[in-house]
Amino acid sequence: MNPHDTINDILVNLFNEILKLEEEAIITEEFRDITNNDMHIIEAVGLSGENTMSAVAKKLGITAGSLTTSVNSLVNKKYVERQRSEEDRRVVFLSLTPKGRKAYEHHREYHRRMTEAVIERLDEEEIPILMKTLTGLAEFFRGYR
């Protein structure tokens, strides 16, 4: 197989494997009531408590209307709380509940372990090369938006 075909094969299979394995790893018995998509919304809400609905929707590249449906579910399941701004009642802040923070930390730990598994196999001089390669790949995907 030539390098182009090999890299294409690796990328296609890697993306599919990451999505499947991430869902298996992060949606444990404790978090069985949410989806992988919900977990990414929890990640986008983050720990600051200062993210608005529109800011989270922008981070995720979705409309505020699409986010509303998912947030309603996460509020009902006690992962996320909403709070209206005192200054402008149209602005809605999202924050994680203790249950949501626990899910956030669980997801963050999965990503930490995944990153560490890659870095620990590299020599010091290989890390900048991987970073340059992944940055180029990320720029390619951002260009499709």
Side-chain angles (χ1 to χ4, degrees):
M1 207 183 294
N2 67 46
H4 184 273
D5 291 340
T6 301
I7 291 170
N8 180 66
D9 188 58
I10 290 168
L11 289 174
V12 169
N13 288 317
L14 182 61
F15 288 133
N16 290 330
E17 288 175 32
I18 287 172
L19 290 175
K20 182 178 178 282
L21 292 173
E22 181 180 43
E23 185 166 356
E24 291 172 5
I26 64 175
I27 306 303
T28 61
E29 185 64 25
E30 182 176 9
F31 303 114
R32 70 184 177 281
D33 60 338
I34 59 174
T35 65
N36 203 28
N37 184 57
D38 290 337
M39 193 65 89
H40 288 111
I41 292 168
I42 288 168
E43 179 183 40
V45 169
L47 299 176
S48 73
E50 298 178 9
N51 275 314
T52 63
M53 285 283 288
S54 56
V56 171
K58 186 175 179 179
K59 276 185 197 178
L60 295 169
I62 61 174
T63 66
S66 296
L67 179 62
T68 297
T69 303
S70 295
V71 167
N72 286 343
S73 173
L74 289 169
V75 167
N76 289 337
K77 294 173 186 175
K78 309 281 191 248
Y79 285 91
V80 173
E81 294 175 324
R82 286 187 179 99
Q83 185 172 0
R84 290 210 177 269
S85 167
E86 294 297 323
E87 292 81 36
D88 184 345
R89 301 291 292 162
R90 296 171 296 177
V91 176
V92 177
F93 290 100
L94 299 175
S95 61
L96 299 179
T97 64
K99 185 177 178 181
R101 286 192 293 278
K102 192 171 185 182
Y104 176 93
E105 292 297 339
H106 175 69
H107 189 216
R108 188 169 81 168
E109 176 61 16
Y110 170 77
H111 281 265
R112 188 201 63 74
R113 288 191 338 260
M114 179 180 63
T115 303
E116 189 58 36
V118 172
I119 290 174
E120 71 185 12
R121 294 174 183 229
L122 300 175
D123 295 330
E124 214 44 49
E125 63 273 1
E126 292 174 313
I127 294 172
I129 296 167
L130 178 61
M131 289 173 53
K132 180 179 178 183
T133 302
L134 293 176
T135 298
L137 189 59
E139 288 171 359
F140 168 80
F141 284 117
R142 286 186 193 114
Y144 267 84
R145 286 187 183 178

